[in-house]
Each structure stands twice: as C-alpha cells, then as structure tokens.
Amino acid sequence: MNTSTQVRTERGSGLLSITLARPDKKNALTSEMYRALVAALELAGSEPSIHAVLLDADGADFCAGNDIVDFVALAGSGQGVESSDVFRFLRALAQFDKPLVAAVRGRAVGIGTTMLLHCDLVYVAGNARLSTPFVDLALVPEAASSLLLPARIGHVRAFALFALGETLDGHAAVDCGLANAALSAEEVAAHARAAALTLAGKPALALQATKKLMREQQRMLNAIESEGREFAQRLVSAEAQAAFRAFMTRRGPGP
Ligand code: COA
C-alpha cells in the first residue's frame, strides 16, 4: 500500500481508520497525501474484513483544503488536472462503496468540506467551520459538489458557500443536512468511532448495497469530469495565480 507520513491508517474490528496527519499545515492535502488516500480506499474496498472506514484528522483542524503550494506546482506542471492525484482521489471517493464516517473538528476548507459530501455519517464539533470558498480562490467547485451540495442544502445556500465564501459552524451544518450531530470537540472522534463500529457489525453486503443505491455514481463521475475541465482552466488563470500568491504571501484576507 502507498504510505505517507502525513496519512496514517490503522486496521481493526472491521474498520480501516484513516487519519490526516499534517496538523502543522492544518492537514492541507498534498499529492503524496492524495496518493495515500487512494491507496487506503483501494485497500478498504478490496479487503472483505474491512466493513467501514473512519476518517479523522490530527490536531485542531480537519483539513485546510488542497495544499496551495501544490496547486501552484500543478498549474505550472502542464500535467492535466483530470489525471492529477487530487482528481484520482475524487473519483475513488465517488466510487467507494463501503460506508465512510467522518469526525470533523475545526476548519474544513474546500475539499475538506466537499469530501464530506461522500461520507455517510458525519459528526462535527459545534465550533467546526465548514467552507468552500472556491470563487475567492478563482476556482470552481470539485468532488461533484456542484451537483451534491445544492442537492443537499438547496441552490442559494450552496451558492453562498461557493461564491460568497460563507462559513457554516457545526450546528448550522447539522441544520442543513451536512452532518448528523454537533458535539463537543473532545467527543467527536469517539462518537464517530462508535458509529463506525456499529456499522462494521451490520450485514456487510446489505450495507454496501444500501450505500450504492443511495448514490448515483455515474452522475457524480460525470460532474467530477465537467468540474475538472473547468477547474483546469481556472487553475492556470491570472486571477487564480494572484489568489494563490496572496495566500502564500498573506497579502489577501484568508477565506
Ligand atoms: N495550503 C498550504 N498551506 C496551508 C494551507 C493550504 N491550503 N492552509 C494552511 N496552510 C499552512 C499555512 O501556510 C501555515 O503554514 P506556516 O505555519 O508554515 O506559515 C499553517 O498551515 C497554519 O495556517 P495559518 O494560515 O497560519 O492558520 P490560521 O489559523 O491563521 O488560518 C485557515 C487557518 C484555514 C483559515 C488558513 O490557513 C487558510 O485560509 N488556508 C487556506 C485555505 C484554502 O483556501 N484552501 C484551499 C481551498 S480550495
């Protein structure tokens, strides 16, 4: 399996636990981390003894989104965005059939929030802060979120997240159907683990079939492809380069 020091995995009791482990950078995701995440999902998908996956993160924040330094490198590489590690991860997530349970504390920015749309149970800290400020970064939504987020919370709320850069706290995330429960930051991990263990004890094939029936996989893959085409153009635009520079030199306001 592809391993990374910044993504930890642990197996046991029918679960694969995946932990984002780059807390000094608020778990911003690098190419190496995406490769490790894809490998972890492939392992979980192919291993019959794994019935559910738990997704958690070290430190106070769940995930500050894609690593912006990596975005700059990707933009300059000439590599097609659709074949990048991030898009491989997004397709793996959309096609993953076993239940995914997430424990979210602190910030979940960009893909940190959109990956939650592919999770089946989501537990958040009351003071979690979910945001998808793609337009502020001169980018567009990914992870089929242009399809899934409006379907989940309605067009106008989704647009406010994407385009105004609005943030939802944990309670608001529960109210609009993005999470199951808002708990104290100390309780989130244990609660999510208990739920994942409960799932792991259920009839495994019925569990997978239920998840599959509830998600239109091909529609999600189609959305990921159209988002990818647009994303590729936005990524190399002058306005995106300026937004990345502003973050890296901290001249602009953070999302
Ligand atoms: N890419 C690369 N590095 C990131 C990062 C990202 N997406 N998010 C945070 N970091 C790094 C910071 O550069 C900083 O590194 P340093 O200590 O070497 O300077 C470290 O993580 C801590 O982040 P900092 O910005 O100092 O924390 P904060 O509490 O002031 O702000 C955020 C937290 C999440 C609001 C802010 O880091 C942020 O806006 N990050 C970018 C989010 C984003 O736009 N992601 C892409 C979405 S598509």
Side-chain angles (χ1 to χ4, degrees):
M1 187 169 108
N2 194 327
T3 53
S4 160
T5 51
Q6 296 164 348
V7 174
R8 241 186 3 261
T9 55
E10 196 184 308
R11 282 170 72 167
S13 312
L15 294 186
L16 180 72
S17 302
I18 304 179
T19 306
L20 306 179
R22 197 189 179 208
D24 54 319
K25 299 287 184 187
K26 301 196 175 283
N27 296 310
L29 295 170
T30 59
S31 292
E32 178 193 318
M33 292 168 79
Y34 288 123
R35 286 195 291 275
L37 288 168
V38 169
L41 291 181
E42 283 172 352
L43 170 75
S46 63
E47 174 55 65
S49 68
I50 298 174
H51 296 174
V53 172
L54 178 62
L55 190 56
D56 197 354
D58 282 349
D61 294 282
F62 182 67
C63 175
N66 200 98
D67 187 290
I68 290 182
V69 180
D70 257 35
F71 263 160
V72 173
L74 180 61
S77 71
Q79 185 200 357
V81 166
E82 293 95 327
S83 61
S84 64
D85 293 309
V86 51
F87 273 77
R88 283 186 55 228
F89 170 61
L90 298 180
R91 284 190 289 269
L93 203 51
Q95 294 177 95
F96 190 65
D97 280 344
K98 293 183 181 175
L100 268 165
V101 181
V104 181
R105 291 173 300 275
R107 290 275 188 170
V109 187
I111 195 167
T113 286
T114 59
M115 73 169 87
L116 302 177
L117 297 167
H118 297 271
C119 293
D120 306 290
L121 295 173
V122 178
Y123 298 99
V124 290
N127 65 0
R129 298 188 68 191
L130 278 58
S131 60
T132 53
F134 294 113
V135 171
D136 286 337
L137 280 172
L139 295 172
V140 292
E142 33 65 330
S145 62
S146 60
L147 172 75
L148 299 175
L149 194 61
R152 189 81 66 86
I153 69 173
H155 179 89
V156 292
R157 283 196 287 204
F159 199 79
L161 284 169
F162 289 144
L164 292 179
E166 281 185 2
T167 296
L168 297 174
D169 69 17
H171 300 285
V174 172
D175 288 346
C176 67
L178 289 175
N180 294 80
L183 305 146
S184 74
E186 296 72 39
E187 287 172 318
V188 176
H191 199 92
R193 186 173 174 79
L197 284 169
T198 302
L199 291 178
K202 303 276 182 192
L205 298 180
L207 193 58
Q208 277 181 53
T210 298
K211 170 165 179 164
K212 205 166 178 180
L213 285 167
M214 289 173 69
R215 286 158 43 89
E216 292 183 77
Q217 214 171 79
Q218 194 52 54
R219 267 190 93 194
M220 291 190 289
L221 290 172
N222 292 346
I224 288 170
E225 295 317 311
S226 347
E227 291 166 352
R229 279 192 295 277
E230 190 60 49
F231 203 96
Q233 292 184 37
R234 299 297 112 235
L235 193 64
V236 294
S237 70
E239 56 185 15
Q241 296 300 311
F244 301 155
R245 266 196 311 279
F247 174 74
M248 291 191 297
T249 56
R250 297 297 201 282
R251 279 184 288 105

